[in-house]
């Protein structure tokens, strides 16, 4: 089961999303984590923190679980 991340914009970047879920303390840590380890977006390993995530996209972070992006209504 995916945890929900609700956004009120058309998209959120991967770096913003990782920061939003409070997995890492700072933007620098997010940058380093994504460069070194990455996250899985829609089944593919992603290292670009600028990658745009849209509603219905899935995000998996190895250490904490999986998320689905939803549009807040």
């Amino acid at each position: 089961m995916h945890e929900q991340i609700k956004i009120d914009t058309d998209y959120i970047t991967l770096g913003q999303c990782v920061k939003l879920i409070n997995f890492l303390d700072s933007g620098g840590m997010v940058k380093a984590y994504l460069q070194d380890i990455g996250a899985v977006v829609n089944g593919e390993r992603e290292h670009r923190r600028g990658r745009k995530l849209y509603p219905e996209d899935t995000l998996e972070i190895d250490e904490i679980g999986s998320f689905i992006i939803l549009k807040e209504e």
Side-chain angles (χ1 to χ4, degrees), residues 1 3 5 7 9 15 17 19-20 22-23 25 27 31-34 42 50-51 60-61 67 69 72:
M1 187 68 187
E3 197 172 322
I5 298 174
I7 60 172
T9 56
C17 192
K19 202 168 173 188
L20 179 70
N22 291 320
F23 169 54
D25 295 331
K31 180 180 179 181
Y33 178 84
L34 291 175
N42 297 330
R51 163 75 187 261
E60 296 175 42
I61 299 177
F67 302 87
I69 310 301
E72 194 171 77

Side-chain angles (χ1 to χ4, degrees), residues 55-68:
E56 304 302 320
D57 281 351
T58 60
L59 169 65
E60 296 175 42
I61 299 177
D62 296 335
E63 287 81 4
I64 59 173
S66 61
F67 302 87
I68 187 165

Side-chain angles (χ1 to χ4, degrees), residues 7 10-12 52-58 68-70:
I7 60 172
D10 291 336
Y11 65 87
I12 187 170
K52 294 177 182 176
L53 303 177
Y54 295 94
E56 304 302 320
D57 281 351
T58 60
I68 187 165
I69 310 301
L70 297 174

Side-chain angles (χ1 to χ4, degrees), residues 38-55:
V40 178
V41 177
N42 297 330
E44 295 183 13
R45 182 67 58 183
E46 183 62 67
H47 294 278
R48 297 174 296 161
R49 64 187 167 133
R51 163 75 187 261
K52 294 177 182 176
L53 303 177
Y54 295 94

